[in-house]
Amino acid sequence: MSTHASDPLAALGSLPGVADSVDSVRKAVDRVYGHRVMRRRSNEITAEAALRGARGSAALAGADWALEEVRRRTDFGADPEARTVGAALRLGAESGQLLSIWRQSPLRVLARLHLVAEGEPRESTGRPRQAGEPVDEPLIEAPLPDPAEVSGRLDGLADLIIAGGDAPALVTAAVVHGELLALRPFTSYNGLIARAAERIVLIGSGLDPKAICPAEVGHAELGRAAYLAAFEGYLSGNPDGMGAWIAHCGRAVELGVRESTAVCEALQRGAA
């Protein structure tokens, strides 16, 4: 985790307001899982959540396409925005296949996510960036940790994930997301990868086992300014800031739940 917190998962779970956010998310997730459409058409909800989550993650990365454009397009290599959308779609499709590996070797999964996002391997693909290598992440302007710090903090993050523990899924997901944004360990697509890793934690923890609660939708709906403001709280390392980041991630999950609930309702009406 961050160098400013010796045991962030244990500490963050007890921060003021975090328990309320965890409880609110749990109730929202339970409600959508209890929807009658989920009993017979959950695969359709999962597929739609993946599409909408990819669209939301790409929007935060600067490729804010309409959902129908994402659904319609088949060529994602024409320009930078199209490549970003294509990377987000590939990450959404890949995330659910990596759950068992994540629990044993999260760094292998992160390397795989970078390879998937890049599509065409380059010399820097699938490994942490080295000294002097530029990072293409226009949304995040915070200072870049040097490669030695990145390596140490990635190892610490991996150790915490492998060790498990009693921290709520939302807390773990928010910390993984925030840490990867802070580190930007790869030369490209770090934001997309951070949000994909958040998704993996939410699915693998059992909170959202069918991947129908796309937090990326909520992050996009809350907007880039709110996202960056909340992320500043994570970077600060102080309890209020960290709690605000976790609450922001919780709100994003709840908005993802709302999106999938709307899809369930549309399917129930026969309109989708």
Side-chain angles (χ1 to χ4, degrees):
M1 290 331 15
S2 304
T3 54
H4 50 248
S6 60
D7 189 1
L9 297 187
L12 293 177
S14 59
L15 285 177
V18 170
D20 289 342
S21 185
V22 167
D23 185 55
S24 181
V25 166
R26 176 78 267 176
K27 289 176 179 176
V29 172
D30 285 347
R31 282 194 298 272
V32 72
Y33 270 84
H35 197 287
R36 63 169 59 186
V37 168
M38 283 295 297
R39 298 191 204 110
R40 59 190 187 278
R41 304 182 72 175
S42 63
N43 288 344
E44 293 173 70
I45 308 301
T46 297
E48 191 65 20
L51 181 73
R52 294 176 185 228
R55 192 218 74 81
S57 193
L60 280 175
D64 192 0
W65 289 15
L67 179 64
E68 291 312 311
E69 177 68 6
V70 177
R71 198 189 303 279
R72 179 188 67 81
R73 281 285 284 268
T74 56
D75 174 17
F76 294 101
D79 57 67
E81 282 197 9
R83 288 194 290 274
T84 295
V85 174
L89 287 167
R90 290 191 299 273
L91 287 171
E94 186 79 4
S95 296
Q97 311 302 314
L98 299 172
L99 298 176
S100 61
I101 304 172
W102 175 260
R103 298 184 188 102
Q104 300 169 5
S105 182
L107 299 187
R108 279 181 57 202
V109 170
L110 293 174
R112 173 65 183 169
L113 291 176
H114 190 231
L115 177 63
V116 167
E118 284 275 6
E120 295 290 333
R122 298 183 298 161
E123 195 276 330
S124 61
T125 301
R127 61 156 173 78
R129 56 185 167 81
Q130 298 174 358
E133 290 184 325
V135 174
D136 180 15
E137 192 60 52
L139 178 63
I140 307 298
E141 297 180 352
L144 277 170
D146 64 47
E149 183 179 350
V150 170
S151 178
R153 286 170 63 174
L154 281 177
D155 285 344
L157 182 64
D159 288 345
L160 281 171
I161 292 166
I162 292 167
D166 298 326
L170 173 63
V171 171
T172 304
V175 167
V176 167
H177 183 170
E179 191 71 355
L180 292 175
L181 277 186
L183 295 179
R184 281 148 289 158
F186 301 108
T187 56
S188 60
Y189 297 122
N190 289 288
L192 294 181
I193 290 167
R195 292 183 287 277
E198 177 185 49
R199 185 175 181 82
I200 288 171
V201 173
L202 294 172
I203 298 168
S205 67
L207 178 67
D208 181 23
K210 294 186 177 181
I212 61 166
C213 306
E216 306 96 320
V217 168
H219 286 304
E221 185 172 336
L222 291 166
R224 297 174 84 181
Y227 185 73
L228 290 174
F231 176 58
E232 285 295 323
Y234 180 85
L235 287 177
S236 76
N238 67 57
D240 287 345
M242 299 291 276
W245 170 249
I246 295 168
H248 183 87
C249 291
R251 181 61 180 147
V253 175
E254 291 185 66
L255 290 171
V257 168
R258 188 177 72 179
E259 185 90 353
S260 287
T261 301
V263 173
C264 287
E265 295 292 335
L267 286 171
Q268 186 167 286
R269 293 192 305 269

